[in-house]
Amino acid sequence: MTEERVDYFIDVIIPVAIPQFFTYRVPVNWNEYIIVGQRVLVNFGKNKLYAAIVSKIHQNPPRMYEAKYIEEIIDETPIVTQNQLKIWDWIADYYFCNIGDVMLAALPNYLKLSSETRIILCNQFDGTTEFLTEKDLELIDFLSLKTIITWEEACNVFGKKSIHKDINKLIALKAIEVFEEIKDKYKTLKIKVISGGELLKDENQLKNIFTELEKKAFKQLEVLMAILEIAKQKKQEKFNFYITKEEINKKFDKSIDAVLKALEEKQIISISEQDKSRLSLDNLKTNIPLPTLSEAQNIAFESINKGFHDNKVTFLHGVTSSGKTEIYIHLINQTLQNKKQVLFLVPEIGLTTQLVMRIKQYFGDRVAVYHSKFNNSERYEIWDGVLNYKSGDNNFSIILGARSSIFLPFKDLGLVIVDEEHDSSYKQFDPAPRYNARDTSIFLANQFNANVVLGSATPSAETYFNAITKKYHYHHITERFGGVELPQIELIDLKKQAKTNFLPEYISKTLHDEILATLEKGKKVILFQNRRGYAPFIQCSKCGWIPECNSCDVSLTYHKYINKLKCHYCGKGQSNYNECPACGSHELKMRGLGTEKIEDELNLIYSKYNIARMDLETTKGKDAYQKIIDDFENDKIDILIGTQMVAKGLDFEKVALVAILDADTMLYYPDFRAFERAFQLFVQVSGRAGRRNEKGKVLIQTYQSNHDVLQKVILSDSISMMNNVLADRKQFKYPPYFRLINITLKHKNIDTLKQASEILGNELKKALGDRILGPKAPSISRVKDKFLMEILVKIEKNASPSQIKKIIRDNLGSLYQKGFSSVRVVVDVDP
DNA sequence: AGCACGCCGACT
DNA sequence: GTCGGCGTGCTC
């Protein structure tokens, strides 16, 4: 019998935005080492190397081409679980994107390896210079100086962008060589630890050492004593201790490196290196009893468990301050007792220290926090920690994170909590995958048969609909927790306000009086205006000219602190105008209202008080956001002006007044969710006012005091708000009654774009009839020098979305075939 | 998405 | 005449 020789082929995912999988061949002697979920190094394209993920192992050689061999198996064990691969597939299919896009979004950077070209001198170079140009010689000089250079450095030497020809010529002359190098490998953080050396093994030696050192090396004795003292403090054994170098360094103000080295040479101590985690696992061992639940909370807890028992997603609807967090804490505890993992999703901005500390208070170092502000090493270490989690472990049993935490390699998930489920930051728009973490987390939970709780005070129409139609289990808490009262919400009808000459038009007399009264009582004020910058646009008062971005179809926002006009779409800035370029007039007026202007002008009016601003600009730095929060908490700020950032996750004492300066612009935003969003935001902002035993006040300035949304905000009545929203959605064929797919076409030539979108629109209408709306230009019809056209697909709930998606996919493919390959198409599912 | 190959305008 | 612009097509 001859030994059977099997050829293995693997389908891999390449970390590049390409739709397909690629098939490679495994060298026979590696057959037994290849596992799904590992990374393999592959040659892709002409000379690029990538770490690709093994997604399928099979024995079917491709018919149309010869598969390349893989170069290397990178991981001994998989770094991605089978469940994750299923989720990636689902996301790519559901959200209409490439599997490579999902991989890029899911993996921490350290696991995404790709190669970079390096250039070196060729040792066969004979030094002949007759075919070389001056630039060639410059490159060779540079190389003999630096040994290895990058492609980019070579471009700089040549002083141009495209150097392929020059490089190829030099390679042909055997002057240089190129090779591919993998960049950015993860490096563990090393720390030095000190432990007892050979001589410190028995007591008799110790005495000798002491007498010896006392005579000749007093400093060494001092350091040794300090080391033993620290070990004693840490309750370690006398002859078997280890402390970090950092700990001993702290005891001395000068460097003791030389002393330690001497002690090491005498074999009194030994110094070694050890890996250290970058995560601040602040050894919080907590024995704090769980918070006691009120009767209403207890009923909610029981009800949620009933939903779990029925295998349903549970929606916990609880007004602000109804104590949802305490219920979450009990649910988490219950899941940990069952030795399962918990994923606690919060909106990006909700990850304030306030929430993190509150959860850590009960669960200590079991909590791992994960969000986009973390650096590469930290993200990698969390991935690794979750990957190595075993049922019942403490570490990495609770992940508290923003939307991207759904991509972590969970092993044994028991519970997913999505707090503030309505929050729009769960949906990713910009780079693909355009996924919704709330919806994806339900798919994720299904893989593990895990429970899901969605929580909100102001639910999304989708979730509310699923709750009342019994698809989800629904529990509503109407009672506030611990004596917190609903703030008193009042509208200020701007039509009825008397004009004053000392106040800007956006501060009514009534509001001014309330602000002063609040500040005089030593309380704080939050002013909400959902627009950053100084003035959204400027306008010539003679001819009406408005400066616009020359790459985008929007007016430029004036930012006073840099005295520049900035485009909020492409980010380009330009200096401000002194005179109108259209008519030469000097009367350029600031129009509209941004947070920066409010801050500026209020500093004059309330000059006795401290005013701060919280928006994208003032929170850019790593700790800027936290600093504003700290200042506010430490009474260094009396009035806080902010965009929607102030609406979320902040809990402060002493905020007695919250004002929404301009409710109207939000109500007239051109989006089918405008009312829903406005309501959610207004109610959330209102929730910042008042604390325990103290009723806060909320003032909303508007010209539309009869507007239905504002009336619902006054009553904080999310149920009748939702019922109105649902009625509208049904009538106008929007979610949750219809599924939406938005197709955006982009091209820098408007005629090409119009042609392409007409053709696509017509073809889709042929197949899908009046489900297709458009093509029409969006309200901002040009961004970053590209014109935009949109086609909206409305799919009724009982139609097969996969069939319709296939039709869309096919038509996009044939549009590409028809010579419109340069038209970019972006598909956004459930926008 | 990169990145190469390939076909036309402005410069030594 | 060449350099380098970016249009087009492929990657196992």
Side-chain angles (χ1 to χ4, degrees):
Chain A
M1 218 171 86
T2 55
E3 200 175 315
E4 205 178 338
R5 212 190 102 117
V6 189
D7 281 322
Y8 279 161
F9 292 88
I10 54 174
D11 293 347
V12 301
I13 306 167
I14 309 269
V16 171
I18 304 183
Q20 318 95 299
F21 290 84
F22 287 83
T23 306
Y24 283 82
R25 196 169 166 178
V26 182
V28 172
N29 51 335
W30 290 355
N31 278 2
E32 57 181 304
Y33 303 111
I34 198 87
I35 314 171
V36 168
Q38 275 172 329
R39 285 172 308 160
V40 287
L41 194 67
V42 296
N43 215 315
F44 184 72
K46 206 166 176 210
N47 42 26
K48 272 260 144 185
L49 291 168
Y50 285 106
I53 300 270
V54 180
S55 131
K56 200 178 156 195
I57 303 171
H58 56 86
Q59 294 170 32
N60 317 316
R63 291 178 167 272
M64 309 298 285
Y65 55 87
E66 187 78 7
K68 281 184 187 171
Y69 278 104
I70 60 169
E71 301 292 316
E72 199 179 299
I73 297 177
I74 300 173
D75 309 298
E76 256 174 66
T77 53
I79 57 130
V80 167
T81 64
Q82 304 254 1
N83 273 332
Q84 283 181 292
L85 291 175
K86 266 190 224 158
I87 293 162
W88 291 9
D89 258 347
W90 180 82
I91 291 176
D93 181 64
Y94 187 87
Y95 290 106
F96 246 96
C97 65
N98 304 307
I99 189 79
D101 285 326
V102 187
M103 175 177 170
L104 284 168
L107 285 187
N109 281 341
Y110 281 129
L111 294 175
K112 293 184 282 199
L113 307 178
S114 64
S115 67
E116 221 175 50
T117 308
R118 300 277 183 259
I119 302 164
I120 51 169
L121 276 179
C122 176
N123 53 16
Q124 291 174 41
F125 184 45
D126 54 12
T128 326
T129 55
E130 60 175 313
F131 304 109
L132 302 180
T133 66
E134 211 167 291
K135 289 280 175 193
D136 292 343
L137 289 168
E138 252 178 69
L139 185 81
I140 288 166
D141 280 350
F142 191 62
L143 266 170
S144 41
L145 197 73
K146 304 264 285 190
T147 318
I148 297 180
I149 65 167
T150 65
W151 196 266
E152 209 184 336
E153 285 171 306
C155 285
N156 290 337
V157 172
F158 281 100
K160 59 186 183 184
K161 281 179 199 164
S162 151
I163 55 170
H164 286 98
K165 279 185 184 161
D166 309 86
I167 295 292
N168 287 339
K169 185 185 99 183
L170 289 170
I171 293 171
L173 288 170
K174 291 204 160 63
I176 60 171
E177 276 173 35
V178 294
F179 68 100
E180 293 289 307
E181 188 175 71
I182 306 287
K183 56 184 178 187
D184 258 349
K185 269 198 180 156
Y186 171 74
K187 291 199 180 61
T188 50
L189 188 65
K190 299 280 186 194
I191 51 160
K192 294 229 163 100
V193 293
I194 297 164
S195 51
E198 275 305 309
L199 287 181
L200 266 193
K201 290 279 154 75
D202 67 284
E203 194 104 19
N204 304 329
Q205 287 281 13
L206 191 63
K207 279 179 194 153
N208 292 342
I209 293 167
F210 274 24
T211 25
E212 197 66 17
L213 288 180
E214 206 165 8
K215 277 186 260 169
K216 287 191 204 149
F218 190 72
K219 190 75 191 173
Q220 288 176 33
L221 182 66
E222 194 188 342
V223 171
L224 180 61
M225 303 276 267
I227 290 171
L228 294 173
E229 180 59 28
I230 294 169
K232 197 176 160 194
Q233 274 169 19
K234 289 175 77 187
K235 297 202 168 69
Q236 295 179 344
E237 285 174 50
K238 203 167 183 182
F239 301 108
N240 184 22
F241 60 86
Y242 88 70
I243 65 170
T244 67
K245 186 155 171 275
E246 201 186 341
E247 286 171 310
I248 180 74
N249 272 342
K250 262 193 235 152
K251 298 268 170 178
F252 297 88
D253 44 359
K254 273 190 237 148
S255 163
I256 52 165
D257 285 8
V259 183
L260 288 171
K261 194 129 196 255
L263 284 169
E264 191 188 14
E265 270 167 20
K266 289 180 185 165
Q267 298 199 339
I268 295 168
I269 60 168
S270 97
I271 302 174
S272 57
E273 274 198 338
Q274 215 175 59
D275 291 355
K276 182 183 185 300
S277 167
R278 288 174 174 86
L279 309 173
S280 52
L281 294 171
D282 25 30
N283 251 334
L284 274 170
K285 291 274 179 282
T286 57
N287 291 312
I288 295 181
L290 295 192
T292 320
L293 297 184
S294 70
E295 203 189 327
Q297 286 173 321
N298 240 319
I299 294 171
F301 180 71
E302 295 301 326
S303 167
I304 292 167
N305 269 317
K306 190 187 169 298
F308 290 171
H309 186 262
D310 296 344
N311 254 326
K312 278 184 172 178
V313 171
T314 294
F315 169 47
L316 176 60
H317 188 179
V319 287
T320 330
S321 315
S322 61
K324 290 193 290 292
T325 313
E326 285 81 11
I327 299 172
Y328 296 152
I329 288 166
H330 278 257
L331 292 169
I332 292 170
N333 183 56
Q334 172 182 287
T335 312
L336 294 181
Q337 283 179 352
N338 291 330
K339 300 198 183 307
K340 300 211 167 204
Q341 281 171 297
V342 177
L343 169 61
F344 190 156
L345 286 175
V346 289
E348 185 77 51
I349 199 73
L351 272 175
T352 53
T353 36
Q354 287 179 340
L355 176 76
V356 175
M357 287 321 291
R358 206 154 156 216
I359 301 298
K360 279 196 174 173
Q361 189 189 342
Y362 294 105
F363 300 107
D365 55 9
R366 279 174 282 195
V367 183
V369 180
Y370 192 76
H371 62 80
S372 63
K373 285 227 170 112
F374 276 15
N375 68 33
N376 288 335
S377 312
E378 292 166 323
R379 283 157 161 259
Y380 170 77
E381 286 178 16
I382 290 179
W383 183 285
D384 195 53
V386 176
L387 186 68
N388 291 312
Y389 167 89
K390 277 172 213 72
S391 177
D393 279 2
N394 262 347
N395 287 338
F396 302 100
S397 53
I398 304 170
I399 305 296
L400 175 56
R403 64 164 181 256
S404 60
S405 0
I406 57 154
F407 289 119
L408 288 168
F410 296 101
K411 287 280 183 61
D412 202 5
L413 199 57
L415 173 68
V416 176
I417 298 169
V418 185
D419 194 25
E420 311 289 350
E421 64 73 32
H422 62 275
D423 197 283
S424 57
S425 72
Y426 284 124
K427 177 73 165 64
Q428 169 154 316
F429 315 95
D430 198 17
R434 297 176 173 77
Y435 66 101
N436 185 316
R438 180 235 291 152
D439 301 340
T440 310
S441 76
I442 293 173
F443 184 87
L444 167 71
N446 272 333
Q447 304 296 307
F448 294 93
N449 228 340
N451 299 315
V452 181
V453 184
L454 309 178
S456 177
T458 52
S460 63
E462 288 83 352
T463 295
Y464 183 71
F465 177 79
N466 283 330
I468 59 170
T469 55
K470 305 264 159 83
K471 188 181 169 195
Y472 291 173
H473 180 73
Y474 180 42
H475 187 84
H476 191 187
I477 315 176
T478 46
E479 191 181 294
R480 258 151 241 276
F481 176 69
V484 179
E485 284 187 78
L486 185 69
Q488 180 189 340
I489 305 176
E490 288 169 15
L491 301 181
I492 297 178
D493 189 338
L494 292 173
K495 283 178 293 194
K496 292 181 189 158
Q497 285 287 314
K499 288 260 181 294
T500 59
N501 48 18
F502 66 97
L503 290 173
E505 72 280 1
Y506 54 88
I507 302 283
S508 61
K509 181 72 171 59
T510 312
L511 176 57
H512 174 67
D513 294 343
E514 291 280 354
I515 291 174
L516 282 184
T518 309
L519 294 174
E520 273 159 21
K521 276 187 278 177
K523 302 284 179 183
K524 294 170 192 173
V525 177
I526 290 179
L527 300 177
F528 172 78
Q529 166 66 9
N530 206 14
R531 195 135 208 188
R532 65 195 171 94
Y534 191 89
F537 61 103
I538 60 179
Q539 187 170 33
C540 170
S541 27
K542 277 260 171 66
C543 70
W545 174 84
I546 295 170
E548 286 174 357
C549 176
N550 45 30
S551 295
C552 310
D553 174 29
V554 289
S555 60
L556 293 168
T557 299
Y558 177 61
H559 288 250
K560 195 178 180 190
Y561 74 113
I562 45 170
N563 189 28
K564 272 193 168 166
L565 296 168
K566 230 165 108 178
C567 173
H568 283 189
Y569 278 77
C570 67
K572 262 199 271 180
Q574 63 177 72
S575 51
N576 195 13
Y577 294 92
N578 291 320
E579 57 182 51
C580 171
C583 71
S585 155
H586 286 268
E587 286 176 54
L588 289 168
K589 280 253 165 65
M590 304 292 164
R591 307 293 299 269
L593 180 59
T595 44
E596 198 189 337
K597 182 179 183 186
I598 301 171
E599 182 192 23
D600 220 42
E601 297 182 349
L602 295 196
N603 264 320
L604 301 176
I605 299 171
Y606 308 108
S607 52
K608 271 179 19 194
Y609 298 97
N610 296 314
I611 300 179
R613 169 162 64 98
M614 179 186 263
D615 55 27
L616 213 67
E617 260 94 44
T618 60
T619 52
K620 273 219 174 106
K622 205 186 171 195
D623 304 315
Y625 179 74
Q626 194 56 45
K627 169 131 194 352
I628 296 174
I629 290 174
D630 291 344
D631 285 353
F632 203 61
E633 236 155 29
N634 299 328
D635 296 339
K636 287 182 189 158
I637 297 170
D638 303 304
I639 305 176
L640 182 67
I641 300 154
T643 57
Q644 53 185 311
M645 270 185 193
V646 298
K648 293 168 191 173
L650 304 183
D651 269 320
F652 297 117
E653 301 289 324
K654 290 201 199 167
V655 177
L657 176 67
V658 167
I660 294 166
L661 297 181
D662 172 19
D664 301 345
T665 41
M666 290 215 52
L667 291 169
Y668 289 97
Y669 197 73
D671 181 287
F672 75 93
R673 272 193 254 267
F675 288 0
E676 184 188 325
R677 290 266 156 80
F679 176 81
Q680 290 160 351
L681 204 49
F682 294 165
V683 171
Q684 255 177 12
V685 175
S686 304
R688 303 305 123 216
R691 281 293 98 190
R692 211 152 285 193
N693 308 319
E694 203 167 344
K695 205 178 173 95
K697 194 169 206 173
V698 178
L699 294 170
I700 302 177
Q701 299 194 120
T702 176
Y703 283 97
Q704 312 283 321
S705 54
N706 291 325
H707 199 291
D708 189 56
V709 170
L710 296 179
Q711 293 301 322
K712 298 289 186 272
V713 172
I714 294 178
L715 303 168
S716 289
D717 186 353
S718 55
I719 291 195
S720 66
M721 176 69 207
M722 271 304 120
N723 289 333
N724 289 352
V725 167
L726 288 180
D728 278 357
R729 298 283 175 84
K730 193 171 189 172
Q731 189 186 347
F732 298 107
K733 301 190 173 180
Y734 276 105
Y737 299 93
F738 284 74
R739 212 183 277 277
L740 298 185
I741 297 177
N742 188 39
I743 305 172
T744 307
L745 294 93
K746 303 181 184 180
H747 199 269
K748 59 182 173 188
N749 181 321
I750 193 161
D751 295 319
T752 315
L753 177 74
K754 277 186 176 164
Q755 263 182 50
S757 44
E758 279 306 318
I759 291 172
L760 182 64
N762 287 334
E763 289 301 317
L764 287 175
K765 274 175 199 160
K766 266 188 223 161
L768 298 169
D770 58 7
R771 292 187 186 97
I772 305 299
L773 275 82
K776 87 181 225 296
S779 56
I780 289 153
S781 65
R782 192 169 61 113
V783 172
K784 292 183 190 170
D785 289 318
K786 281 186 176 147
F787 290 94
L788 309 181
M789 277 293 206
E790 284 179 351
I791 296 172
L792 189 63
V793 188
K794 286 185 174 178
I795 308 170
E796 61 279 17
K797 263 284 148 86
N798 53 7
S800 151
S802 55
Q803 210 178 322
I804 289 172
K805 279 182 190 164
K806 186 179 183 311
I807 293 171
I808 296 172
R809 241 180 271 267
D810 291 349
N811 275 294
L812 292 181
S814 56
L815 186 73
Y816 193 89
Q817 297 297 313
K818 282 174 192 149
F820 290 103
S821 59
S822 59
V823 177
R824 291 257 150 261
V825 182
V826 171
V827 181
D828 193 6
V829 179
D830 302 339

